[in-house]
Amino acid sequence: MTNVATVYSTTTCPYCTMMKNYLTEQNIEFEEVLLTTEEERQKLVEETGQRGVPQTKLNGKWILGFNPEAVQEALKG
């Protein structure tokens, strides 16, 4: 099964960097979406109900923050 991951992040967020590094270490390819405008941030809030970053959508499941345990759970399906 191919894992599908998207990381929504900002350029100043250390937890975003940690999440991207973790995914890379786990050999999980991901697309990064930089939230550079308030419109982009608001769109994400409307979808997830959360304002914090990173927010990662992995195999259809949302993960808030840097959370390796949740990544492993999402990989199980």
Side-chain angles (χ1 to χ4, degrees):
M1 175 181 155
T2 301
N3 295 302
V4 178
T6 305
V7 179
Y8 296 82
S9 65
T10 64
T11 57
T12 59
C13 167
Y15 295 103
C16 298
T17 300
M18 291 167 66
M19 178 59 95
K20 293 181 287 187
N21 288 343
Y22 182 76
L23 293 173
T24 299
E25 289 166 6
Q26 298 298 309
N27 295 314
I28 301 168
E29 292 185 24
F30 62 90
E31 175 186 349
E32 180 179 16
V33 176
L34 285 174
L35 301 173
T36 57
T37 68
E38 186 56 35
E39 290 174 67
E40 292 169 322
R41 291 184 199 101
Q42 188 57 39
K43 198 171 168 185
L44 188 60
V45 169
E46 289 170 9
E47 184 167 348
T48 67
Q50 301 290 328
R51 256 193 111 62
V53 287
Q55 290 189 48
T56 305
K57 191 169 189 179
L58 177 57
N59 296 336
K61 297 180 182 176
W62 283 102
I63 301 166
L64 179 62
F66 174 62
N67 189 335
E69 294 82 17
V71 169
Q72 292 305 315
E73 280 299 312
L75 291 174
K76 292 177 185 174

